[in-house]
Amino acid sequence: MELIDVILGIFAVCLVAVVAYRGLTEIYGYWKRQNVPFVPAKPLIGSIDWKTMNKPLQEIETEWYNRYGRIYGRFEATKPVLSVGDPDILRNILSTDFQIFPNRRDLKFHDPVMDNTLFVLEGDAWSRVRNIVSPAFTTSKLKRMFPLLTECSDLLVERFAEVKNKTEDLNCQEYYGAFVLSAIARCAFGMNISAIRDPKNVFVEKSKKLFYECLSWRTYLTILCPVLMKIFRLKLLNPETTGFYRNTIIQVLEERKKLNLIRDDFLQMLIDAEDANNNGADIICEKGGCKVSTQPKIEKKGLTHDEMLSQSVTFFIAGFDATTSLLSHVTYRLAMHQNYQQMVVDEMKDALNNHNGKMCYDALSEMKFLNAVIHECLRMCPAMVRHERRAEQDYQIQSRKIHLKKGTIVSIPVYAMHHDPEWYPEPEVFKPERFYPEELRAMSRYNYLPFGNGKRMCVGMRFVHIQVKLCIAKLLMKFQIMPAPSTPQTLGYTESRNVLTVNKVEVRLMERQLY
């Protein structure tokens, strides 16, 4: 009897092993059966092994892109993912067939702040919140923010002048981070946080923690086993930082209600949307602002309290690293390329002459070569290494005869595409002339994706652009940017959870006589 039990046990183990082997063979043969090049996978782990995890994501993506082509498959644990770097197919995924790919990866982990951000929201909730938030970034709204951005830029230049007299080398990230938070606080929430005068300000320190002190295992667990993140209610981002900003916004709200303050800013627009939601009215957002509809209400179209807080917190934290990095990157390139810096200064003089010597919104709009410099920096170091979309139903890529099952993630290798020599010859060389107006018009919209494309394109893109452009213009009006002895010949990048930033940049400033 015991011998029979042993034999049956061995048979059962062998049967389970055979079934598991056949199951894994079926799973990992998904791309091979469709003749799609793919990154080999290890059982249960997928295409990224422990050795690969130690490499920066942009290096991994570029290596795979160059080895397997613009379209290739990979596996996250046992789930197939398709990487698509073909602009024609991306046009369909991001725009034409948006109804099939309306959402990103599911990142809802029972966090009331992050679950209600535009980045994570899905379906009707995303569409409703997007329609409410978008009017904050129209041309008319940006023009009204311009004087506040000018004040913050002038304060930063004054601070640079003070620091320059005390130390020769200037740490760009330290002061730009303070500027970015101050500008957001002033323009969006009517707050004066004095971060420019004090780069060690609590707002700056908390924002740094968001990306640099959050354990990386959260990211890996999100990809390999998101179910565990949901079960244990783990947060993807540092809860200390998100909680700090949430509490700050609540304090501002309480102060406004207590003093009955009504301001013309981003927060007031969200407050109005929440009030409309609570009062049973529809909120209608158009260019210029939001208003309450007098028509009978069928369903809620405003914002819940959590949604309102979430958009406020997101405004603070989403742009901190990306905008700080972009400002530092532009400063570095202008320091290392004095010819390009002079071209920006020359066009700035022309713009100022056209507007009585004042750096107004229209004068800034005329600085096309500075636009090109910013675009080239975003090409070389996009804010995100890759974007993602999720198929909400089965989908056929007709041109390649590739079938995607419902729930499949489509990964868009932005960094690798931006360094494709067919589209960008000598991709590691800084050439802003690639984006001078004539060249930019001829370029495909779907092989340059620093802010994404389609309906899910970054809603704050224009705010970031004008913030960076004005700050750099104000800096160049006062100083010539020079490399410091510590300025690297080749600028390195740091990747943290798909967010890409430039490494430390130090420069020197020399007084400039503009005329």
Side-chain angles (χ1 to χ4, degrees):
M1 190 70 178
E2 292 182 358
L3 180 60
I4 293 176
D5 289 342
V6 171
I7 293 174
L8 289 175
I10 294 174
F11 177 77
V13 170
C14 292
L15 182 62
V16 169
V18 170
V19 171
Y21 175 79
R22 293 190 64 178
L24 290 175
T25 301
E26 175 73 14
I27 290 170
Y28 293 128
Y30 183 80
W31 296 123
K32 185 176 182 180
R33 289 192 298 273
Q34 301 194 64
N35 296 316
V36 177
F38 65 95
V39 185
K42 288 184 169 56
L44 304 180
I45 296 176
S47 298
I48 294 186
D49 54 26
W50 299 112
K51 183 179 179 180
T52 308
M53 282 183 178
N54 293 324
K55 298 174 69 174
L57 181 60
Q58 72 272 17
E59 293 183 14
I60 298 172
E61 290 270 300
T62 303
E63 182 181 321
W64 287 346
Y65 182 91
N66 292 335
R67 180 182 300 176
Y68 300 105
R70 290 175 181 161
I71 298 181
Y72 64 88
R74 67 170 192 271
F75 295 90
E76 293 177 353
T78 58
K79 295 181 179 180
V81 174
L82 184 68
S83 181
V84 178
D86 184 301
D88 293 330
I89 296 175
L90 286 177
R91 181 182 292 106
N92 293 332
I93 290 172
L94 296 175
S95 298
T96 308
D97 296 325
F98 176 80
Q99 73 281 3
I100 298 174
F101 299 93
N103 302 315
R104 297 185 173 95
R105 180 190 299 268
D106 181 9
L107 294 174
K108 291 188 176 70
F109 298 128
H110 306 288
D111 182 340
V113 174
M114 299 312 300
D115 286 1
N116 287 291
T117 63
L118 278 172
F119 192 86
V120 176
L121 281 173
E122 300 180 357
D124 292 341
W126 168 80
S127 181
R128 171 174 49 80
V129 174
R130 172 96 180 189
N131 287 339
I132 291 171
V133 171
S134 294
F137 304 103
T138 60
T139 299
S140 61
K141 286 286 186 180
L142 290 175
K143 284 185 175 181
R144 282 145 75 176
M145 293 181 192
F146 198 82
L148 297 176
L149 285 173
T150 299
E151 288 180 20
C152 291
S153 300
D154 288 340
L155 282 174
L156 179 65
V157 173
E158 289 176 13
R159 182 60 177 156
F160 278 159
E162 295 171 2
V163 174
K164 185 183 77 69
N165 294 328
K166 297 177 182 178
T167 179
E168 290 187 335
D169 298 351
L170 188 140
N171 183 339
C172 292
Q173 280 93 333
E174 181 177 346
Y175 295 98
Y176 283 144
F179 161 76
V180 169
L181 289 177
S182 295
I184 292 173
R186 290 290 299 277
C187 294
F189 306 102
M191 298 168 56
N192 189 350
I193 62 175
S194 303
I196 293 175
R197 291 287 177 186
D198 178 18
K200 301 298 182 183
N201 182 283
V202 63
F203 282 83
V204 179
E205 294 302 312
K206 292 295 184 182
S207 293
K208 288 179 180 178
K209 285 186 177 182
L210 184 70
F211 289 102
Y212 297 117
E213 295 184 15
C214 186
L215 298 177
S216 59
W217 58 264
R218 296 173 186 268
T219 306
Y220 301 139
L221 197 58
T222 298
I223 294 174
L224 297 177
C225 197
V227 173
L228 289 180
M229 294 285 287
K230 295 178 183 290
I231 291 175
F232 293 105
R233 294 178 177 268
L234 299 173
K235 307 293 191 296
L236 178 59
L237 298 181
N238 189 317
E240 180 183 345
T241 296
T242 56
F244 168 78
Y245 279 111
R246 184 177 186 274
N247 293 335
T248 299
I249 297 301
I250 289 175
Q251 290 177 12
V252 175
L253 288 171
E254 290 176 347
E255 181 180 354
R256 288 196 182 189
K257 290 178 180 179
K258 181 180 178 180
L259 300 176
N260 197 27
L261 294 176
I262 298 178
R263 298 181 183 274
D264 183 19
D265 58 15
F266 180 74
L267 181 59
Q268 188 63 49
M269 185 178 67
L270 299 182
I271 293 172
D272 293 343
E274 184 195 13
D275 288 344
N277 193 68
N278 294 336
N279 295 334
D282 280 344
I283 193 78
I284 300 175
C285 290
E286 301 168 336
K287 288 187 176 182
C290 296
K291 61 182 179 180
V292 176
S293 171
T294 58
Q295 298 300 317
K297 182 174 171 62
I298 300 175
E299 60 179 333
K300 290 186 175 182
K301 297 255 182 101
L303 294 177
T304 66
H305 186 65
D306 280 341
E307 287 171 346
M308 187 268 291
L309 288 175
S310 183
Q311 308 325 306
S312 301
V313 172
T314 302
F315 204 138
F316 262 119
I317 65 178
F320 173 74
D321 257 26
T323 311
T324 301
S325 176
L326 179 56
L327 278 164
S328 301
H329 194 178
V330 172
T331 302
Y332 171 83
R333 297 298 174 184
L334 293 179
M336 300 300 288
H337 299 273
Q338 292 294 314
N339 56 327
Y340 291 139
Q341 183 176 163
Q342 189 58 48
M343 290 174 68
V344 173
V345 171
D346 289 343
E347 76 166 357
M348 180 170 63
K349 289 179 180 178
D350 292 339
L352 290 171
N353 288 335
N354 293 338
H355 296 276
N356 300 318
K358 184 179 180 181
M359 182 53 71
C360 58
Y361 185 93
D362 292 334
L364 198 67
S365 299
E366 294 176 10
M367 297 179 63
K368 305 299 184 184
F369 191 73
L370 181 53
N371 283 346
V373 170
I374 294 172
H375 283 308
E376 177 70 344
C377 288
L378 286 168
R379 179 196 68 80
M380 298 185 78
C381 182
M384 301 185 74
V385 176
R386 67 185 180 209
H387 300 311
E388 293 179 337
R389 294 294 184 270
R390 188 176 78 235
E392 295 302 324
Q393 55 185 275
D394 288 1
Y395 182 77
Q396 189 82 12
I397 300 177
Q398 299 293 344
S399 61
R400 297 297 184 97
K401 295 182 171 55
I402 299 173
H403 179 74
L404 301 180
K405 293 180 180 179
K406 178 182 178 180
T408 300
I409 297 293
V410 173
S411 178
I412 304 168
V414 177
Y415 180 89
M417 292 175 67
H418 284 192
H419 290 76
D420 188 323
E422 182 177 331
W423 298 320
Y424 304 102
E426 298 181 287
E428 301 305 324
V429 178
F430 179 70
K431 292 183 176 181
E433 54 268 27
R434 305 180 205 267
F435 293 95
Y436 217 40
E438 292 76 15
E439 284 71 16
L440 186 58
R441 281 195 292 270
M443 189 172 294
S444 167
R445 292 171 54 215
Y446 294 89
N447 60 13
Y448 177 71
L449 300 166
F451 294 102
N453 209 319
K455 294 182 180 180
R456 280 268 187 179
M457 180 182 287
C458 174
V459 70
M461 171 183 65
R462 297 183 68 199
F463 179 79
V464 170
H465 190 82
I466 194 172
Q467 188 179 10
V468 170
K469 195 174 178 182
L470 178 60
C471 181
I472 294 297
K474 284 286 188 176
L475 180 61
L476 292 176
M477 288 175 69
K478 181 74 173 177
F479 300 108
Q480 179 180 359
I481 307 169
M482 304 290 292
S486 58
T487 306
Q489 289 299 311
T490 301
L491 185 61
Y493 308 135
T494 296
E495 181 270 329
S496 176
R497 288 187 320 239
N498 194 34
V499 175
L500 193 64
T501 57
V502 299
N503 291 344
K504 183 178 180 180
V505 173
E506 289 188 337
V507 296
R508 289 184 175 179
L509 301 178
M510 293 180 58
E511 294 282 349
R512 181 194 299 278
Q513 296 297 326
L514 197 58
Y515 295 102

